[in-house]
Amino acid sequence: MADLADVSILVLGAGGLGCEILKNLAMQGIPDIHVVDMDTIELTNLNRQFLFRESDIGQSKALVAARFINEKNIMGLGGRPVVVTAHFQDLTLLDRKFIERFTLIVSGLDSIEARRFMNMQLVRITFESRFEKCIPFIDGGSEGLKGHCKTIIPGFSACYECSLDTLPAKIESYPLCTVSNNPRLPEHVIEFLMSVQWAQQHPDRDFDFDSKEDLQWLMDEAHARARQFNIDTSKLTPQFVLGVIKNIVPSVASTNAIIAAQCCTEVSKLLYNEYDIGEAPNFLVYNGDDGCFAYSFVHERVSTCLVCRESIQ
Amino acid sequence: MDKFDRQLRLWGKHGQLELSKAHICIIGNTLLASEILKNLVLPGATKFHLIKETSYVKSDCFLDVEDLKSINEHAEFNEETWNAHLMGNQEYWRYFDLIILTTRDVSVIESIRCLPMPPMLACNWREYHGYACFVSQEPHFVTECHRQHKSPDLRIDKPPQPLLNFYESIKPSQLSQEQLNDLPFAVIIYHALKSLKENCTKIDRSSLRIEIRRLHEKTLPGPECLNFIEAERYLYLGLQDSEIIPDNLLKCFSLASSECVVPFNSMFTDMISSLKDYLKHPSSEHQLPLSGLIPDMESSSEMYNAIQEAYLRCASKNLNTFADIVTSHNASVPLSQIKNFCSNVQNVRGVVPASHIPTEQDCRTVKQITPAAAAILRKLVKSKHELETIRPSFVESRDELRYYPTCSLLAGIVAQEAVKILTHQFVPLENTLIYDGKAGQVYRVKL
């Protein structure tokens, strides 16, 4: 790896994992850190995203996070101060030239598509430079008390696409005949309202998840329909309904701390030449639901991977 | 929306309340302590007692107490300096719900090592290595372990009387094809089992499947019947023995004989001894109290409501009987706890923590099982001399910066275990974790 004082790292996402990753990298003394996030701060972020306060609600996560760390005046490697640069934008619009300037990329995203985009860019960079340039990509993910960390050396070890099958399938769906004729659970009621009744009553527009009126419509109709089918309405609270329609996943500070730290340990090992490509486990899963379970292993490259297969030929 | 919405989805309002009123003592003015503190203030713990070593050196934490106050204005931080005379007495510690030991000062560790203390998490780290150990003088019990995938509790093999009445009220032989298509799978399995019993056929997987198919054929020709497909998928529920007490509960039975000081644990042990009496009570029919929760089953809304009601009625009858027994043992157990216990009784758990803060002696035991873990643990609990050479503030030595994430990771684990221990929700570590960041491995051992 290059001279440590010249290291620059791009962090994808300034959410629960992002805040932890940024803090760790700053404490590791990485002088040049960039962060990209298109989200703004919400109240429900504050149980874990410790770089934000209530007064920051509505502002850009990337900008507020960068400001918080910069104000700490942390001295980094090579006597350079740690500086975080914020990019309040969609990361899939970042251009190749920009991405190429980083030593490493660490992601703490919730979007699978955004990760696939970055993975593809990085694999291309390795191939097009004929393996002269390779930017490691470390990916963290968390949900409830569970999480994972993947270390990708594009073109050398399994890429994000190679392990795509390890992700769970999309949200559970219910058969249409159940939700329309035989609803039995509150979820069936909501599903019917969202997929059938809304379109019947509002053919001109889509449901707006941020509109108070639309949510009120949903609450009222859900209670009415549940009563019609004698379904217990006590479960139909706004929290529950929002959880179902937005597919909200639980999130806590501790899991983010664990996963982000594992990602940053991988950063250290790569920077200080303590990482053995091909031998080192590149995939760690963590589960704190029952005891404290963590397991790491080597995820092999997939020879048919649509993104990184060309170098195997 | 609540600021804590994303975690209330895990441990609920009652868990949040336990966390917010818990009195937590953190020993050691270390980087690890500062990270743990952050991870506990964020989810809403508010009562902290921080003990600094006398050999106090200001380490460069990312967040100081002032920062933490800005995260939660209700959080209180009492700071105190180590006082061997005062703190070498067990009286000093008894009002804390949890102690978190992060100090590297061996004299501090030695003075509390032999004291009977409240539940404690002992932890330490160095370079890429760390350990966390759950230490307690008593077992730890969990009512809500939040298993994501539970086996449905339907008692189809031996339905207790109220359920039996419901199942018997349905006569498949008298039903039309359409009505058969509306039968929930539990009813199908019950009647398939019943006719096997009547014909004195040996009940096993294949005979039960054949019987379900025989019933299914009556609905043919016709559209595909999801309820019969479900009945085949769940037929194993008909082969269970509802009188068997699951192993996790048997473990609780054996652990519940110990004397418990933690209020939740002592309440739990009272409920366990009540449960033994309950099982002898005639109305229990030698079965555990029913949870009343049933899975979704393909059927009409009316039919599903009917079966759900039958289960809920039976569960509430069981609950009343059980609650009477508990109250006769200990009148102070709140009904909400009894209710919670009843609905989770199949999945309650008991954990045996370590009896003491790890010593070098323990490394020898660990070595026999996992030599790699023993080497790490030895390094972390080793003699006085070496530990004192670790600088609490390592910022001047640049090379050391690379290890910061180990501290952060361990702080995440300790905070997560702390929340699990304080809320008695989710199963905590049993009982020691050893982390090797270099190899990317985590070892779990029982001390």
Side-chain angles (χ1 to χ4, degrees):
Chain A
M1 277 280 162
D3 184 353
L4 290 171
D6 294 331
V7 166
S8 56
I9 296 183
L10 174 63
V11 177
L12 310 178
L17 285 169
C19 283
E20 278 285 337
I21 293 168
L22 288 168
K23 176 257 306 170
N24 288 342
L25 294 178
M27 294 300 272
Q28 283 164 276
I30 307 300
D32 185 29
I33 305 170
H34 286 245
V35 57
V36 48
D37 195 312
M38 63 190 287
D39 272 352
T40 53
I41 298 159
E42 292 176 36
L43 178 67
T44 55
N45 300 149
L46 302 181
N47 75 326
R48 58 197 189 281
Q49 302 179 13
F50 59 94
L51 303 177
F52 315 138
R53 301 291 174 268
E54 267 186 64
S55 54
D56 299 322
I57 288 172
Q59 295 190 56
S60 149
K61 288 187 179 179
L63 289 165
V64 176
R67 190 180 66 210
F68 191 104
I69 294 180
N70 291 337
E71 281 171 3
K72 292 266 163 198
N73 294 315
I74 298 167
M75 195 47 71
L77 297 166
R80 289 177 60 190
V82 171
V83 176
V84 181
T85 310
H87 303 271
F88 179 29
Q89 68 161 94
D90 180 350
L91 77 92
T92 59
L93 300 175
L94 293 175
D95 71 51
R96 182 76 65 80
K97 276 264 164 326
F98 176 79
I99 296 170
E100 277 178 357
R101 53 176 284 204
F102 293 100
T103 322
L104 277 161
I105 296 183
V106 188
S107 97
L109 299 165
D110 50 12
S111 154
I112 291 167
E113 289 313 309
R115 289 172 167 118
R116 294 177 75 180
F117 166 84
M118 189 52 70
N119 176 64
M120 181 134 59
Q121 297 294 322
L122 297 175
V123 172
R124 297 262 132 248
I125 288 171
T126 303
F127 288 166
E128 284 169 20
S129 68
R130 297 176 184 275
F131 297 88
E132 285 291 309
K133 186 163 188 59
C134 175
I135 305 173
F137 178 40
I138 299 153
D139 172 58
S142 83
E143 179 176 333
L145 304 186
K146 296 190 267 296
H148 75 257
C149 169
K150 297 179 185 180
T151 305
I152 294 157
I153 315 295
F156 291 90
S157 64
C159 78
Y160 188 73
E161 210 74 14
C162 291
S163 66
L164 211 55
D165 286 341
T166 61
L167 298 172
K170 289 232 159 123
I171 337 146
E172 206 168 328
S173 62
Y174 304 105
L176 192 64
C177 83
T178 292
V179 299
S180 50
N181 304 326
N182 298 316
R184 299 176 293 268
L185 307 179
E187 287 89 341
H188 295 158
V189 168
I190 299 167
E191 176 74 22
F192 177 79
L193 296 172
M194 294 300 283
S195 58
V196 181
Q197 196 167 323
W198 175 268
Q200 284 172 355
Q201 292 186 14
H202 306 86
D204 51 327
R205 65 186 186 92
D206 286 339
F207 187 87
D208 178 358
F209 290 87
D210 297 318
S211 147
K212 276 209 167 97
E213 289 79 53
D214 287 8
L215 286 175
Q216 194 54 53
W217 173 87
L218 181 62
M219 288 302 299
D220 295 344
E221 293 293 334
H223 276 263
R225 190 169 166 81
R227 276 194 299 271
Q228 181 193 338
F229 287 94
N230 283 321
I231 294 168
D232 181 15
T233 53
S234 63
K235 215 176 148 188
L236 282 169
T237 61
Q239 283 76 13
F240 173 80
V241 172
L242 278 172
V244 173
I245 62 172
K246 286 183 156 180
N247 188 28
I248 292 176
V249 295
S251 203
V252 282
S254 52
T255 311
N256 287 323
I258 296 163
I259 297 302
Q262 183 59 32
C263 293
C264 294
T265 293
E266 296 292 283
V267 169
S268 282
K269 288 192 280 181
L270 284 161
L271 291 182
Y272 291 83
N273 288 320
E274 295 173 296
Y275 190 88
D276 196 351
I277 297 170
E279 298 288 318
N282 55 359
F283 197 137
L284 178 134
V285 287
Y286 170 80
N287 189 340
D289 277 349
D290 188 344
C292 193
F293 174 86
Y295 179 69
S296 67
F297 59 97
V298 180
H299 193 295
E300 300 287 344
R301 293 183 72 180
V302 173
S303 59
T304 53
C305 174
L306 291 174
V307 173
C308 74
R309 69 177 165 186
E310 36 198 299
S311 71
I312 294 176
Q313 291 164 353
Chain B
M1 266 294 189
D2 191 312
K3 170 178 159 184
F4 296 123
D5 177 74
R6 296 302 185 268
Q7 65 197 43
L8 291 174
R9 291 170 193 275
L10 288 173
W11 52 69
K13 288 207 167 113
H14 58 299
Q16 190 64 33
L17 182 68
E18 291 301 322
L19 184 60
S20 67
K21 67 180 194 198
H23 217 144
I24 303 169
C25 174
I26 304 185
I27 307 174
N29 183 40
T30 56
L31 281 175
L32 182 55
S34 77
E35 284 281 348
I36 293 170
L37 201 50
K38 176 204 80 199
N39 294 340
L40 288 173
V41 171
L42 279 166
T46 56
K47 292 193 170 70
F48 295 99
H49 197 85
L50 310 176
I51 297 175
K52 297 174 178 180
E53 306 89 334
T54 36
S55 57
Y56 162 61
V57 185
K58 177 92 183 82
S59 48
D60 286 312
C61 306
F62 185 78
L63 298 179
D64 55 29
V65 167
E66 287 311 307
D67 287 321
L68 295 171
K69 280 182 184 155
S70 75
I71 290 177
N72 186 348
E73 58 185 47
H74 304 298
E76 297 162 19
F77 304 89
N78 289 315
E79 297 177 68
E80 201 170 2
T81 305
W82 172 257
N83 175 332
H85 178 68
L86 179 70
M87 298 172 189
N89 188 331
Q90 70 175 90
E91 269 304 296
Y92 178 85
W93 305 101
R94 57 183 288 201
Y95 298 102
F96 295 117
D97 296 301
L98 182 70
I99 316 269
I100 298 175
L101 183 69
T102 76
T103 186
R104 287 166 166 175
D105 185 331
V106 178
S107 66
V108 172
I109 300 174
E110 287 310 317
S111 4
I112 56 172
R113 185 185 292 288
C114 298
L115 295 179
M117 301 274 274
M120 181 196 292
L121 281 162
C123 47
N124 198 357
W125 69 286
R126 194 174 162 186
E127 295 176 353
Y128 285 124
H129 299 139
Y131 89 88
C133 177
F134 176 21
V135 185
S136 179
Q137 310 310 312
E138 61 185 68
H140 174 90
F141 294 106
V142 183
T143 322
E144 293 166 88
C145 71
H146 299 286
R147 285 182 62 181
Q148 276 194 322
H149 305 284
K150 286 181 217 165
S151 186
D153 180 16
L154 296 172
R155 320 278 169 100
I156 311 176
D157 59 316
K158 289 173 199 149
Q161 199 59 48
L163 292 181
L164 193 66
N165 297 345
F166 167 79
Y167 282 121
E168 285 297 326
S169 71
I170 300 166
K171 307 253 182 285
S173 55
Q174 298 167 13
L175 298 181
S176 68
Q177 186 174 322
E178 208 166 278
Q179 286 168 318
L180 282 171
N181 289 351
D182 271 347
L183 284 184
F185 72 76
V187 179
I188 299 172
I189 298 174
Y190 170 80
H191 283 283
L193 273 176
K194 190 182 168 197
S195 67
L196 286 179
K197 280 176 202 159
E198 283 168 356
N199 300 331
C200 300
T201 314
K202 186 172 173 282
I203 297 170
D204 59 22
R205 201 169 280 270
S206 67
S207 65
L208 188 53
R209 178 172 292 123
I210 292 166
E211 196 56 34
I212 291 170
R213 288 197 179 154
R214 214 179 50 75
L215 209 56
H216 193 173
E217 274 161 20
K218 291 189 183 167
T219 70
L220 298 175
E224 197 181 30
C225 300
L226 285 173
N227 57 335
F228 282 94
I229 296 171
E230 275 187 350
E232 283 197 39
R233 178 157 27 111
Y234 285 102
L235 71 81
Y236 69 94
L237 293 173
L239 303 170
Q240 285 176 335
D241 181 351
S242 292
E243 284 179 20
I244 288 182
I245 308 290
D247 287 348
N248 50 306
L249 193 53
L250 289 175
K251 185 178 175 189
C252 292
F253 280 173
S254 72
L255 293 176
S257 52
S258 21
E259 201 57 49
C260 291
V261 179
V262 173
F264 185 95
N265 288 341
S266 98
M267 190 172 69
F268 191 95
T269 53
D270 280 343
M271 286 198 277
I272 288 289
S273 42
S274 309
L275 187 62
K276 289 181 187 160
D277 291 348
Y278 174 85
L279 289 169
K280 290 176 204 144
H281 192 280
S283 81
S284 76
E285 304 183 39
H286 308 294
Q287 294 181 25
L288 294 169
L290 191 72
S291 73
L293 300 173
I294 60 170
D296 185 26
M297 305 184 208
E298 192 55 46
S299 60
S300 66
S301 304
E302 295 78 26
M303 198 63 218
Y304 185 75
N305 284 337
I307 188 168
Q308 187 166 55
E309 218 180 288
Y311 274 85
L312 287 175
R313 223 180 308 121
C314 181
S316 122
K317 190 169 166 262
N318 291 172
L319 171 66
N320 290 339
T321 314
F322 181 66
D324 287 344
I325 298 173
V326 176
T327 323
S328 69
H329 276 249
N330 177 353
S332 67
V333 181
L335 186 63
S336 62
Q337 290 288 355
I338 302 175
K339 222 170 153 176
N340 218 350
F341 183 86
C342 273
S343 30
N344 290 290
V345 69
Q346 301 271 356
N347 295 299
V348 296
R349 295 279 290 274
V351 164
V352 186
S355 60
H356 57 272
I357 301 165
T359 61
E360 261 204 280
Q361 198 74 36
D362 294 308
C363 302
R364 271 172 232 156
T365 333
V366 175
K367 196 177 172 186
Q368 286 158 9
I369 313 154
T370 24
I376 295 170
L377 189 62
R378 174 163 291 123
K379 192 174 100 174
L380 294 168
V381 300
K382 220 172 171 180
S383 69
K384 217 174 193 161
H385 194 72
E386 264 190 63
L387 276 177
E388 282 172 355
T389 61
I390 297 171
R391 275 187 285 181
S393 168
F394 57 47
V395 173
E396 312 89 69
S397 72
R398 319 308 299 164
D399 254 16
E400 297 276 291
L401 290 178
R402 75 175 97 166
Y403 304 124
Y404 191 82
T406 313
C407 164
S408 198
L409 182 133
L410 208 58
I413 287 176
V414 170
Q416 189 156 99
E417 295 308 311
V419 173
K420 292 197 263 180
I421 292 167
L422 290 167
T423 58
H424 287 267
Q425 293 192 42
F426 297 96
V427 184
L429 177 61
E430 185 170 12
N431 49 38
T432 306
L433 170 142
I434 296 162
Y435 172 72
D436 180 355
K438 185 87 187 277
Q441 294 298 335
V442 171
Y443 306 98
R444 287 172 305 162
V445 294
K446 287 183 190 177
L447 298 188

